Amino acid sequence: MLSEIKQKAIVGKDGKIELSTTELPEGTIVEVIVLVAQPTEEDETTYLLKSEANKKHLLKALENVEKGNLIYVDLDEYEKSSI
């Protein structure tokens, strides 16, 4: 039996929170707990781009990927050669 579903939702007009799930049959009794996300949370990309040094490295890496400047490493071969 399914014991939990985790979803993100946005509080809408008149404070309504809408959740949509196909995992639960109609009439299922549920208990709802609302956890409010802290507004200061940021994703990893935003965090990494805060530092100028990180930003330069990440943008250079993206540029290299777009140009096809990639190095392919066969990890099995690398592992064999380092033994």
Side-chain angles (χ1 to χ4, degrees), residues 55-70:
K55 186 175 182 177
K56 285 180 185 177
H57 287 295
L58 290 169
L59 293 176
K60 184 66 176 171
L62 285 173
E63 186 180 307
N64 282 325
V65 169
E66 288 170 358
K67 289 181 178 178
N69 296 337
L70 304 172

Side-chain angles (χ1 to χ4, degrees), residues 63-80:
E63 186 180 307
N64 282 325
V65 169
E66 288 170 358
K67 289 181 178 178
N69 296 337
L70 304 172
I71 298 173
Y72 294 93
V73 177
D74 183 330
L75 294 178
D76 291 331
E77 288 299 317
Y78 175 77
E79 199 172 277
K80 286 177 190 173

Side-chain angles (χ1 to χ4, degrees), residues 10-79:
I10 297 173
V11 178
K13 196 173 187 177
D14 300 322
K16 290 184 181 177
I17 299 172
E18 206 171 295
L19 300 174
S20 178
T21 180
T22 57
E23 292 96 349
L24 299 171
E26 184 177 336
T28 302
I29 298 171
V30 298
E31 184 174 334
V32 178
I33 298 172
V34 177
L35 303 172
V36 179
Q38 299 301 316
T40 57
E41 287 183 22
E42 55 192 6
D43 65 15
E44 290 176 43
T45 305
T46 303
Y47 173 77
L48 291 171
L49 290 173
K50 275 185 173 181
S51 157
E52 276 304 312
N54 275 349
K55 186 175 182 177
K56 285 180 185 177
H57 287 295
L58 290 169
L59 293 176
K60 184 66 176 171
L62 285 173
E63 186 180 307
N64 282 325
V65 169
E66 288 170 358
K67 289 181 178 178
N69 296 337
L70 304 172
I71 298 173
Y72 294 93
V73 177
D74 183 330
L75 294 178
D76 291 331
E77 288 299 317
Y78 175 77
E79 199 172 277

